[in-house]
Amino acid sequence: VYKFALSTGMRRSEIAGLKWQSVDLPEGEGEKGNLSVVSTLHRLEGLGLVEAEPKTEGSRRSIRLSTKTVDLLRAVRGTQELQKLEYGPLWQNTGFVFTHPNGTPLIPDQITQDFASIVKRFDLPHLTFHGLRHAFATLALKQNIHPKIVSEALGHSKIGITMNLYSHV
C-alpha cells in the first residue's frame, strides 16, 4: 500500500476504494498500465465502510502506471490468489485491490494508523501517510514531469492548486 501510494499520489480513500475492475494491467512484461479512480472507501460512524464517488469531478481520473507499479500490482494479485486458496470458503471476494488476507477491504483510518506506527517503531522522521502523496508530487516535479501531468495524477481540479502547493519545488 505504501509503495503504491508513493508511486501514484492517490488519496488514502481512493487506494482503499480501488477495485480490480478499475485496473488495466498489460499482458506483456515491462509495459505500462492504467487505472481509473472512480470510487473511494470511507468508514462512517454507525454505517461502517461506505463506497462513494471521488472527492471532486477532477478526482475522477485515469492514472498511468509505471512498469514497477504494474509489477507491484501483479504481486498483490498473486498474493490474493494464494490467500483465496488458504482461506477457501472464508475468503470474501470483495473485488478490492488492497485487502486483508481474508479479502475484506482495508479500513482507511487503519492504513494511516499502521503507517504512523511504522514511522514511530523505526524512529523515522515525521511523515504521515498523506505525506506520501506530497512526496509523489515533489519527486515527479523534481524529475521535470510537467506540472499539468502531476496535477492530473493528483486529481487537482486546477493546475494552480498544484503550483501553489509545490511552488517550492
Side-chain angles (χ1 to χ4, degrees):
V1 170
Y2 310 134
K3 284 182 181 179
F4 185 78
L6 188 57
S7 67
T8 63
M10 289 172 63
R11 296 175 180 94
R12 176 186 74 172
S13 63
E14 295 169 343
I15 293 170
L18 182 64
K19 290 192 170 183
W20 286 112
Q21 67 192 25
S22 298
V23 178
D24 179 25
L25 297 179
E27 296 295 323
E29 292 297 316
E31 295 181 35
K32 294 182 177 184
N34 290 294
L35 67 80
S36 297
V37 178
V38 296
S39 182
T40 60
L41 192 65
H42 304 272
R43 185 170 178 216
L44 300 178
E45 188 87 24
L47 297 175
L49 289 176
V50 177
E51 284 185 73
E53 294 201 3
K55 187 175 170 180
T56 65
E57 190 57 39
S59 296
R60 294 181 66 88
R61 63 198 185 279
S62 179
I63 296 177
R64 188 94 166 126
L65 302 173
S66 70
T67 55
K68 284 186 177 184
T69 306
V70 167
D71 291 344
L72 174 69
L73 287 172
R74 283 188 176 130
V76 168
R77 188 168 56 191
T79 299
Q80 274 189 354
E81 291 300 321
L82 292 173
Q83 291 168 337
K84 283 181 191 179
L85 292 173
E86 185 178 329
Y87 277 78
L90 298 177
W91 168 263
Q92 295 184 34
N93 190 9
T94 58
F96 289 100
V97 172
F98 296 102
T99 64
H100 292 284
N102 69 350
T104 57
L106 298 181
I107 299 167
D109 290 338
Q110 193 64 51
I111 294 171
T112 301
Q113 291 166 6
D114 290 348
F115 186 79
S117 187
I118 290 169
V119 169
K120 185 176 181 179
R121 182 172 11 146
F122 291 102
D123 199 27
L124 298 171
H126 176 73
L127 178 65
T128 62
F129 184 81
H130 188 75
L132 297 176
R133 181 170 160 81
H134 294 296
F136 162 82
T138 301
L139 292 170
L141 291 168
K142 282 191 175 231
Q143 292 175 1
N144 292 321
I145 296 175
H146 194 281
K148 178 71 173 159
I149 293 170
V150 176
S151 180
E152 289 172 354
L154 293 170
H156 288 162
S157 57
K158 298 177 183 167
I159 190 172
I161 295 169
T162 308
M163 296 309 293
N164 285 341
L165 285 171
Y166 302 103
S167 61
H168 64 284
V169 179

